[in-house]
PDB file of all heavy atoms in Angstrom:
ATOM      1  N   CYS A  48       0.480  -3.271   6.692  1.00 97.00           N
ATOM      2  CA  CYS A  48       1.519  -3.984   5.956  1.00 97.00           C
ATOM      3  C   CYS A  48       1.116  -4.131   4.474  1.00 97.00           C
ATOM      4  O   CYS A  48       1.781  -4.880   3.761  1.00 97.00           O
ATOM      5  CB  CYS A  48       1.700  -5.348   6.573  1.00 97.00           C
ATOM      6  SG  CYS A  48       0.238  -6.383   6.374  1.00 97.00           S
ATOM      7  N   VAL A  49       0.101  -3.418   3.986  1.00 98.00           N
ATOM      8  CA  VAL A  49      -0.342  -3.626   2.622  1.00 98.00           C
ATOM      9  C   VAL A  49       0.735  -3.197   1.606  1.00 98.00           C
ATOM     10  O   VAL A  49       1.326  -2.147   1.727  1.00 98.00           O
ATOM     11  CB  VAL A  49      -1.635  -2.849   2.336  1.00 98.00           C
ATOM     12  CG1 VAL A  49      -2.025  -2.870   0.834  1.00 98.00           C
ATOM     13  CG2 VAL A  49      -2.813  -3.371   3.169  1.00 98.00           C
ATOM     14  N   VAL A  50       0.975  -4.141   0.658  1.00 98.00           N
ATOM     15  CA  VAL A  50       1.853  -3.875  -0.476  1.00 98.00           C
ATOM     16  C   VAL A  50       1.099  -4.346  -1.735  1.00 98.00           C
ATOM     17  O   VAL A  50       0.003  -4.956  -1.612  1.00 98.00           O
ATOM     18  CB  VAL A  50       3.201  -4.588  -0.383  1.00 98.00           C
ATOM     19  CG1 VAL A  50       3.979  -4.113   0.871  1.00 98.00           C
ATOM     20  CG2 VAL A  50       3.030  -6.109  -0.345  1.00 98.00           C
ATOM     21  N   HIS A  51       1.642  -4.120  -2.900  1.00 98.00           N
ATOM     22  CA  HIS A  51       1.012  -4.671  -4.115  1.00 98.00           C
ATOM     23  C   HIS A  51       1.846  -5.836  -4.557  1.00 98.00           C
ATOM     24  O   HIS A  51       3.070  -5.707  -4.698  1.00 98.00           O
ATOM     25  CB  HIS A  51       0.999  -3.617  -5.231  1.00 98.00           C
ATOM     26  CG  HIS A  51       0.054  -2.479  -4.894  1.00 98.00           C
ATOM     27  ND1 HIS A  51      -0.108  -1.380  -5.696  1.00 98.00           N
ATOM     28  CD2 HIS A  51      -0.770  -2.248  -3.889  1.00 98.00           C
ATOM     29  CE1 HIS A  51      -0.900  -0.546  -5.225  1.00 98.00           C
ATOM     30  NE2 HIS A  51      -1.350  -1.061  -4.044  1.00 98.00           N
ATOM     31  N   VAL A  52       1.215  -6.953  -4.851  1.00 98.00           N
ATOM     32  CA  VAL A  52       1.891  -8.125  -5.431  1.00 98.00           C
ATOM     33  C   VAL A  52       1.175  -8.385  -6.716  1.00 98.00           C
ATOM     34  O   VAL A  52      -0.040  -8.608  -6.803  1.00 98.00           O
ATOM     35  CB  VAL A  52       1.745  -9.345  -4.466  1.00 98.00           C
ATOM     36  CG1 VAL A  52       2.363 -10.598  -5.138  1.00 98.00           C
ATOM     37  CG2 VAL A  52       2.413  -9.049  -3.149  1.00 98.00           C
ATOM     38  N   ASP A  53       1.971  -8.286  -7.780  1.00 98.00           N
ATOM     39  CA  ASP A  53       1.397  -8.455  -9.193  1.00 98.00           C
ATOM     40  C   ASP A  53       0.234  -7.498  -9.380  1.00 98.00           C
ATOM     41  O   ASP A  53      -0.766  -7.917  -9.965  1.00 98.00           O
ATOM     42  CB  ASP A  53       1.080  -9.911  -9.435  1.00 98.00           C
ATOM     43  CG  ASP A  53       2.325 -10.791  -9.470  1.00 98.00           C
ATOM     44  OD1 ASP A  53       3.422 -10.297  -9.856  1.00 98.00           O
ATOM     45  OD2 ASP A  53       2.202 -11.973  -9.125  1.00 98.00           O
ATOM     46  N   GLY A  54       0.321  -6.344  -8.883  1.00 97.00           N
ATOM     47  CA  GLY A  54      -0.682  -5.274  -9.116  1.00 97.00           C
ATOM     48  C   GLY A  54      -1.850  -5.328  -8.165  1.00 97.00           C
ATOM     49  O   GLY A  54      -2.794  -4.484  -8.358  1.00 97.00           O
ATOM     50  N   LYS A  55      -1.896  -6.190  -7.224  1.00 97.00           N
ATOM     51  CA  LYS A  55      -3.080  -6.252  -6.325  1.00 97.00           C
ATOM     52  C   LYS A  55      -2.625  -6.054  -4.891  1.00 97.00           C
ATOM     53  O   LYS A  55      -1.548  -6.504  -4.429  1.00 97.00           O
ATOM     54  CB  LYS A  55      -3.733  -7.618  -6.449  1.00 97.00           C
ATOM     55  CG  LYS A  55      -4.310  -7.871  -7.791  1.00 97.00           C
ATOM     56  CD  LYS A  55      -5.029  -9.165  -7.882  1.00 97.00           C
ATOM     57  CE  LYS A  55      -5.612  -9.312  -9.305  1.00 97.00           C
ATOM     58  NZ  LYS A  55      -6.282 -10.452  -9.534  1.00 97.00           N
ATOM     59  N   ALA A  56      -3.470  -5.340  -4.158  1.00 98.00           N
ATOM     60  CA  ALA A  56      -3.186  -5.049  -2.731  1.00 98.00           C
ATOM     61  C   ALA A  56      -3.222  -6.355  -1.953  1.00 98.00           C
ATOM     62  O   ALA A  56      -4.192  -7.129  -2.073  1.00 98.00           O
ATOM     63  CB  ALA A  56      -4.173  -4.064  -2.137  1.00 98.00           C
ATOM     64  N   VAL A  57      -2.163  -6.553  -1.121  1.00 97.00           N
ATOM     65  CA  VAL A  57      -2.039  -7.803  -0.314  1.00 97.00           C
ATOM     66  C   VAL A  57      -1.528  -7.403   1.035  1.00 97.00           C
ATOM     67  O   VAL A  57      -0.661  -6.529   1.189  1.00 97.00           O
ATOM     68  CB  VAL A  57      -1.018  -8.755  -0.973  1.00 97.00           C
ATOM     69  CG1 VAL A  57      -0.732  -9.941  -0.088  1.00 97.00           C
ATOM     70  CG2 VAL A  57      -1.534  -9.218  -2.351  1.00 97.00           C
ATOM     71  N   LYS A  58      -2.064  -8.011   2.069  1.00 97.00           N
ATOM     72  CA  LYS A  58      -1.523  -7.805   3.421  1.00 97.00           C
ATOM     73  C   LYS A  58      -0.273  -8.720   3.572  1.00 97.00           C
ATOM     74  O   LYS A  58      -0.417  -9.932   3.622  1.00 97.00           O
ATOM     75  CB  LYS A  58      -2.582  -8.093   4.482  1.00 97.00           C
ATOM     76  CG  LYS A  58      -3.660  -7.068   4.480  1.00 97.00           C
ATOM     77  CD  LYS A  58      -4.706  -7.309   5.551  1.00 97.00           C
ATOM     78  CE  LYS A  58      -5.752  -6.219   5.510  1.00 97.00           C
ATOM     79  NZ  LYS A  58      -6.817  -6.367   6.515  1.00 97.00           N
ATOM     80  N   SER A  59       0.849  -8.088   3.582  1.00 97.00           N
ATOM     81  CA  SER A  59       2.138  -8.803   3.528  1.00 97.00           C
ATOM     82  C   SER A  59       2.479  -9.596   4.831  1.00 97.00           C
ATOM     83  O   SER A  59       3.388 -10.389   4.829  1.00 97.00           O
ATOM     84  CB  SER A  59       3.287  -7.903   3.117  1.00 97.00           C
ATOM     85  OG  SER A  59       3.472  -6.928   4.102  1.00 97.00           O
ATOM     86  N   THR A  73       5.387  -4.116  -5.134  1.00 98.00           N
ATOM     87  CA  THR A  73       5.543  -2.673  -4.986  1.00 98.00           C
ATOM     88  C   THR A  73       5.258  -2.310  -3.531  1.00 98.00           C
ATOM     89  O   THR A  73       4.180  -2.684  -3.037  1.00 98.00           O
ATOM     90  CB  THR A  73       4.639  -1.854  -5.921  1.00 98.00           C
ATOM     91  OG1 THR A  73       4.863  -2.291  -7.273  1.00 98.00           O
ATOM     92  CG2 THR A  73       4.889  -0.360  -5.782  1.00 98.00           C
ATOM     93  N   GLY A 105       0.173   1.649   4.512  1.00 97.00           N
ATOM     94  CA  GLY A 105      -0.847   0.644   4.167  1.00 97.00           C
ATOM     95  C   GLY A 105      -2.097   1.273   3.600  1.00 97.00           C
ATOM     96  O   GLY A 105      -2.724   0.780   2.625  1.00 97.00           O
ATOM     97  N   ILE A 107      -2.227   4.151   1.946  1.00 98.00           N
ATOM     98  CA  ILE A 107      -1.872   4.655   0.632  1.00 98.00           C
ATOM     99  C   ILE A 107      -1.836   3.494  -0.386  1.00 98.00           C
ATOM    100  O   ILE A 107      -2.348   3.613  -1.487  1.00 98.00           O
ATOM    101  CB  ILE A 107      -0.576   5.450   0.653  1.00 98.00           C
ATOM    102  CG1 ILE A 107      -0.827   6.782   1.358  1.00 98.00           C
ATOM    103  CG2 ILE A 107      -0.009   5.665  -0.766  1.00 98.00           C
ATOM    104  CD1 ILE A 107       0.423   7.598   1.606  1.00 98.00           C
ATOM    105  N   MET A 108      -1.247   2.385   0.038  1.00 98.00           N
ATOM    106  CA  MET A 108      -1.169   1.242  -0.884  1.00 98.00           C
ATOM    107  C   MET A 108      -2.631   0.671  -1.159  1.00 98.00           C
ATOM    108  O   MET A 108      -2.897   0.298  -2.292  1.00 98.00           O
ATOM    109  CB  MET A 108      -0.257   0.157  -0.327  1.00 98.00           C
ATOM    110  CG  MET A 108       1.198   0.599  -0.198  1.00 98.00           C
ATOM    111  SD  MET A 108       1.917   1.270  -1.676  1.00 98.00           S
ATOM    112  CE  MET A 108       2.100  -0.205  -2.656  1.00 98.00           C
ATOM    113  N   ALA A 109      -3.461   0.633  -0.153  1.00 98.00           N
ATOM    114  CA  ALA A 109      -4.830   0.214  -0.350  1.00 98.00           C
ATOM    115  C   ALA A 109      -5.541   1.198  -1.269  1.00 98.00           C
ATOM    116  O   ALA A 109      -6.301   0.767  -2.134  1.00 98.00           O
ATOM    117  CB  ALA A 109      -5.536   0.068   1.027  1.00 98.00           C
ATOM    118  N   ALA A 110      -5.312   2.487  -1.053  1.00 97.00           N
ATOM    119  CA  ALA A 110      -5.964   3.501  -1.891  1.00 97.00           C
ATOM    120  C   ALA A 110      -5.511   3.408  -3.307  1.00 97.00           C
ATOM    121  O   ALA A 110      -6.409   3.575  -4.230  1.00 97.00           O
ATOM    122  CB  ALA A 110      -5.639   4.892  -1.287  1.00 97.00           C
ATOM    123  N   THR A 111      -4.266   3.245  -3.597  1.00 97.00           N
ATOM    124  CA  THR A 111      -3.801   3.167  -4.996  1.00 97.00           C
ATOM    125  C   THR A 111      -4.397   1.945  -5.664  1.00 97.00           C
ATOM    126  O   THR A 111      -4.771   2.014  -6.859  1.00 97.00           O
ATOM    127  CB  THR A 111      -2.253   3.129  -5.135  1.00 97.00           C
ATOM    128  OG1 THR A 111      -1.749   2.038  -4.384  1.00 97.00           O
ATOM    129  CG2 THR A 111      -1.639   4.435  -4.663  1.00 97.00           C
ATOM    130  N   ASP A 112      -4.561   0.860  -4.973  1.00 97.00           N
ATOM    131  CA  ASP A 112      -5.249  -0.321  -5.528  1.00 97.00           C
ATOM    132  C   ASP A 112      -6.717  -0.026  -5.837  1.00 97.00           C
ATOM    133  O   ASP A 112      -7.261  -0.369  -6.857  1.00 97.00           O
ATOM    134  CB  ASP A 112      -5.141  -1.506  -4.564  1.00 97.00           C
ATOM    135  CG  ASP A 112      -5.912  -2.701  -5.068  1.00 97.00           C
ATOM    136  OD1 ASP A 112      -5.497  -3.317  -6.049  1.00 97.00           O
ATOM    137  OD2 ASP A 112      -6.937  -3.065  -4.427  1.00 97.00           O
ATOM    138  N   MET A 113      -7.372   0.640  -4.850  1.00 97.00           N
ATOM    139  CA  MET A 113      -8.793   0.983  -5.001  1.00 97.00           C
ATOM    140  C   MET A 113      -8.982   1.897  -6.182  1.00 97.00           C
ATOM    141  O   MET A 113      -9.919   1.681  -6.965  1.00 97.00           O
ATOM    142  CB  MET A 113      -9.172   1.745  -3.684  1.00 97.00           C
ATOM    143  CG  MET A 113     -10.630   1.970  -3.491  1.00 97.00           C
ATOM    144  SD  MET A 113     -10.983   2.959  -1.991  1.00 97.00           S
ATOM    145  CE  MET A 113      -9.946   2.296  -0.757  1.00 97.00           C
ATOM    146  N   ARG A 116      -8.674   0.114  -9.518  1.00 95.00           N
ATOM    147  CA  ARG A 116      -9.883  -0.727  -9.824  1.00 95.00           C
ATOM    148  C   ARG A 116     -11.081   0.129 -10.165  1.00 95.00           C
ATOM    149  O   ARG A 116     -11.869  -0.300 -10.996  1.00 95.00           O
ATOM    150  CB  ARG A 116     -10.151  -1.682  -8.679  1.00 95.00           C
ATOM    151  CG  ARG A 116      -9.167  -2.822  -8.515  1.00 95.00           C
ATOM    152  CD  ARG A 116      -9.511  -3.848  -7.471  1.00 95.00           C
ATOM    153  NE  ARG A 116      -9.329  -3.192  -6.162  1.00 95.00           N
ATOM    154  CZ  ARG A 116     -10.299  -2.871  -5.308  1.00 95.00           C
ATOM    155  NH1 ARG A 116     -11.516  -3.063  -5.617  1.00 95.00           N
ATOM    156  NH2 ARG A 116     -10.001  -2.321  -4.092  1.00 95.00           N
ATOM    157  N   GLU A 129     -14.216   0.006   1.446  1.00 96.00           N
ATOM    158  CA  GLU A 129     -13.030  -0.678   1.072  1.00 96.00           C
ATOM    159  C   GLU A 129     -11.877  -0.428   2.079  1.00 96.00           C
ATOM    160  O   GLU A 129     -10.905  -1.203   2.061  1.00 96.00           O
ATOM    161  CB  GLU A 129     -12.578  -0.269  -0.310  1.00 96.00           C
ATOM    162  CG  GLU A 129     -13.539  -0.781  -1.351  1.00 96.00           C
ATOM    163  CD  GLU A 129     -12.906  -1.184  -2.656  1.00 96.00           C
ATOM    164  OE1 GLU A 129     -11.663  -1.289  -2.738  1.00 96.00           O
ATOM    165  OE2 GLU A 129     -13.658  -1.423  -3.573  1.00 96.00           O
ATOM    166  N   ASN A 133      -8.334  -1.650   6.895  1.00 95.00           N
ATOM    167  CA  ASN A 133      -7.245  -0.796   7.386  1.00 95.00           C
ATOM    168  C   ASN A 133      -7.698   0.009   8.596  1.00 95.00           C
ATOM    169  O   ASN A 133      -8.697   0.678   8.562  1.00 95.00           O
ATOM    170  CB  ASN A 133      -6.827   0.209   6.292  1.00 95.00           C
ATOM    171  CG  ASN A 133      -6.284  -0.492   5.073  1.00 95.00           C
ATOM    172  OD1 ASN A 133      -6.947  -1.095   4.327  1.00 95.00           O
ATOM    173  ND2 ASN A 133      -4.960  -0.381   4.949  1.00 95.00           N
TER     174      ASN A 133
END
Side-chain angles (χ1 to χ4, degrees):
C48 67
V49 173
V50 299
H51 294 176
V52 177
D53 295 329
K55 295 184 180 179
V57 171
K58 291 182 178 179
S59 63
T73 304
I107 289 173
M108 297 307 288
T111 56
D112 175 71
M113 191 185 316
R116 287 182 291 107
E129 293 215 12
N133 294 74

